[in-house]
Every structure is written in structure tokens, then in C-alpha cells.
Amino acid sequence: MKILGIIPARYSSTRFPGKPLADINGKTMIECVYERAKLSEKLCDVLVATDDERIYECVKNFGGKAVMTSSELPNGTARCEQAVKNFAVDAVINIQGDEPLLDPLMIDETAELLRENYCVTLCSELKQDFANPNIVKVVLSRENFALYFSRSLIPFKRNKSDLPIYQHIGIYGYSVDFLKKYVSLPSTPLSETESLEQLKILEHGYKIRVKITECKNESIGVDTPEDLERVRGIMRCRSSNT
């Protein structure tokens, strides 16, 4: 199975404009993410899909691969679908461009799930910060398919229970055929209400296979300059320990 890793990257951002080009100890964030993705053993190649010439040139300058996509696309998934059209691959893994600490083994886990599923993602057990709406939670069926994603705490533990709370990890794998189908589907009430595009898949009756990652989830999504400073500190610490 040929699986292409795609990193959607746009310059515009409400909270942090230009973050793909933000400096992390001498490298841009998009270069850091690209290098992490290239460590995966399951991808046939890695590609940045962007709508901005500055990001495109940056990727080319550090020796990466990039394609230009429309600035009118609604989200990163649609950017992946447009980017993959000129590649003869079976599946795509959508790698978040703002997670420079992503463990490449998570990419491998996602790739393994794609062998028997058309849409997959990961989660990990959440131990704290349950009320944070920026941490998306997921509940699973007994067969480890997603039942629902929410910014709210789910499940709500009305009765005393040791049932774990799972945090969704924002990495997605799609068969190319399903990716084409997904982007053609109309938006849905729950996906718009929670601002979670993966809910559109569930609302249209499709399944998302979820794996509880075996990796230690230490990735940090960079949404603010404060997040960036945390990542810089962690990467400086890792560098000094090697």
C-alpha cells in the first residue's frame, strides 16, 4: 500500500498568522514538522500542501516537496484532496502542520490502521485539563470506532467510574477514494456547532476507526505564541540532552 504524508499549511491564521514560518531554534516550524514526518517508515513520501508562496519557497529551500493549492479551500482535508490528485497512491495521512513534536511512530500507527479501514485517527488517555475546549475528546465503541467527538467532557461521569477519558490526536488517515467522497459531502449541524470537521463523517453515516496510541503523547499544537515558546524550550532541552 502506497501512503502519502501530506502537511497542509496556510499562512493566514486568526490567532497566529504566519505560524508555519515561525522560528524554532533556527528552523521554521514547517521544516520541523516535515523532518518529523520523514522519520516515518510507512510513508512513500512527504508533501507540504500550501496556498502561500512564502511557505512554498521555504519548503523548496530546505529541500522538501511542496505543491500550491487554492486559497479558497475550507480546511486542511480539502487541501490534502486537491494535492493528492497528481500522485498515484492508495491513501493519505493528513499531518498537522503545527505539531513539531509529533512522534513519527504515530504516523506509522495510523498507516497500519489504513490497511483495513478507509478513515482512521488516534487518541490517548487524558489525565487532566478535562474542561479545556481546545482539547478534543472522543468516545469509542467496543470495536474502537468513534461514537462522537466533542470539545466538552465526554463521557460525563455521573456515577463513580474508572472509565478513561480519551483525547483525540489530530492525525487522520484516508483512503484516496474516501477522501474524494468526504470533501464532496455537505457540511453538517454538529460539525458546524462544535467546529470539528471530523463530525461530518459520523453525521453522514461513515465510520472512523480509532487506535489508542502506544506512544507517549507529548505533542503540543502551536496555536499561540505562548505555545511556540513552550515548544522552543522542549526542543532546546532535547537538543542539549543528545
Side-chain angles (χ1 to χ4, degrees):
M1 175 181 254
K2 293 186 69 175
I3 304 174
L4 178 65
I6 301 183
I7 308 168
R10 64 189 186 97
Y11 192 88
S12 299
S13 171
T14 303
R15 287 182 289 182
F16 195 168
K19 67 179 178 179
L21 301 182
D23 177 79
I24 301 179
N25 307 332
K27 294 182 179 180
T28 60
M29 181 157 61
I30 194 64
E31 182 175 4
C32 293
V33 175
Y34 193 93
E35 287 180 346
R36 299 297 288 173
K38 290 290 286 185
L39 293 174
S40 168
E41 297 181 353
K42 304 294 184 179
L43 300 177
C44 67
D45 211 344
V46 177
L47 180 73
V48 174
T50 186
D51 62 352
D52 190 274
E53 289 283 353
R54 290 164 289 190
I55 297 173
Y56 179 87
E57 291 300 326
C58 171
V59 175
K60 289 295 187 180
N61 287 338
F62 67 67
K65 296 182 179 181
V67 296
M68 290 294 296
T69 55
S70 170
S71 61
E72 303 300 317
L73 297 173
N75 52 47
T77 308
R79 205 167 301 286
C80 287
E81 192 274 335
Q82 188 173 97
V84 77
K85 288 180 178 179
N86 294 322
F87 292 85
V89 296
D90 303 298
V92 165
I93 293 181
N94 181 342
I95 301 163
Q96 302 299 311
D98 58 3
E99 295 198 11
L101 299 176
L102 177 68
D103 189 333
L105 291 176
M106 289 185 179
I107 300 175
D108 293 345
E109 288 181 319
T110 305
E112 283 298 316
L113 285 182
L114 279 169
R115 295 186 181 278
E116 297 181 357
N117 301 275
Y118 56 79
C119 181
V120 303
T121 191
L122 302 180
C123 72
S124 63
E125 188 171 350
L126 183 63
K127 300 290 189 179
Q128 60 185 3
D129 211 9
F130 300 114
N132 186 342
N134 293 319
I135 298 177
V136 177
K137 296 81 174 175
V138 58
V139 288
L140 309 177
S141 72
R142 292 188 177 186
E143 296 79 25
N144 282 347
F145 287 95
L147 294 173
Y148 192 68
F149 298 85
S150 183
R151 297 184 183 278
S152 298
L153 174 61
I154 52 173
F156 179 79
K157 296 186 179 183
R158 181 173 180 177
N159 298 315
K160 205 168 184 180
S161 170
D162 59 358
L163 195 69
I165 305 297
Y166 291 113
Q167 172 184 353
H168 179 224
I169 298 171
I171 183 171
Y172 297 94
Y174 307 97
S175 71
V176 169
D177 288 342
F178 181 72
L179 179 59
K180 292 176 182 177
K181 183 190 298 287
Y182 170 49
V183 299
S184 71
L185 296 172
S187 189
T188 52
L190 291 174
S191 65
E192 291 183 354
T193 298
E194 294 242 24
S195 189
L196 296 174
E197 61 173 287
Q198 64 268 40
L199 286 175
K200 184 173 79 167
I201 298 172
L202 302 184
E203 288 182 86
H204 280 285
Y206 296 99
K207 291 185 176 183
I208 304 175
R209 177 72 163 80
V210 185
K211 177 180 171 59
I212 303 167
T213 181
E214 297 175 14
C215 303
K216 189 175 181 181
N217 185 15
E218 297 179 322
S219 187
I220 297 171
V222 178
D223 293 317
T224 66
E226 291 74 24
D227 294 332
L228 181 64
E229 284 303 318
R230 289 175 61 202
V231 169
R232 284 170 174 161
I234 292 169
M235 293 185 74
R236 277 196 298 268
C237 184
R238 287 182 179 180
S239 179
S240 64
N241 290 333
T242 57

